[in-house]
Amino acid sequence: MADRNTAPDPLPTDDTWTLANAKARLSEVVDRAQTGPQVITRHGRPNAVVVSADEWARKTARKGTLAEFLLASPLRGADLDLERVHDAPRDEMP
């Protein structure tokens, strides 16, 4: 069990937090995520990243449709000779 009289780790200076420090200072991790990603480490290795909701929305926003993506393909119009295997159909399961 942890000693409750022990002060938490010092504040990170490079936007990297230990898991224990991030748990103890979650509000600050969230506040700092508004200006840049905050890396949380576990056992000395990066384990998670906290980013602002705006940044997450920007990174995950759909950029066009699948049809637009396929139409923009550099292979569109290429004379590809694709062979197709004409095996017998599979048996249906009961």
Side-chain angles (χ1 to χ4, degrees):
M1 185 181 258
D3 182 4
R4 298 202 183 272
N5 294 328
T6 306
D9 296 337
L11 291 176
T13 57
D14 60 355
D15 300 328
T16 300
W17 304 74
T18 63
L19 180 59
N21 202 8
K23 285 168 63 174
R25 300 175 188 258
L26 181 59
S27 292
E28 188 168 352
V29 172
V30 171
D31 289 344
R32 283 187 168 195
Q34 304 311 304
T35 59
Q38 303 298 301
V39 178
I40 299 174
T41 63
R42 178 182 264 177
H43 305 298
R45 292 185 302 216
N47 193 261
V49 177
V50 178
V51 296
S52 69
D54 290 339
E55 178 70 7
W56 179 254
R58 189 177 70 76
K59 291 283 189 181
T60 59
R62 181 171 286 173
K63 297 169 182 76
T65 65
L66 177 59
E68 291 169 340
F69 173 78
L70 293 173
L71 288 171
S73 170
L75 296 177
R76 183 169 185 236
D79 189 23
L80 297 177
D81 184 23
L82 301 176
E83 293 184 25
R84 182 173 180 163
V85 177
H86 293 284
D87 289 341
R90 296 180 183 159
D91 291 335
E92 291 187 24
M93 298 294 287

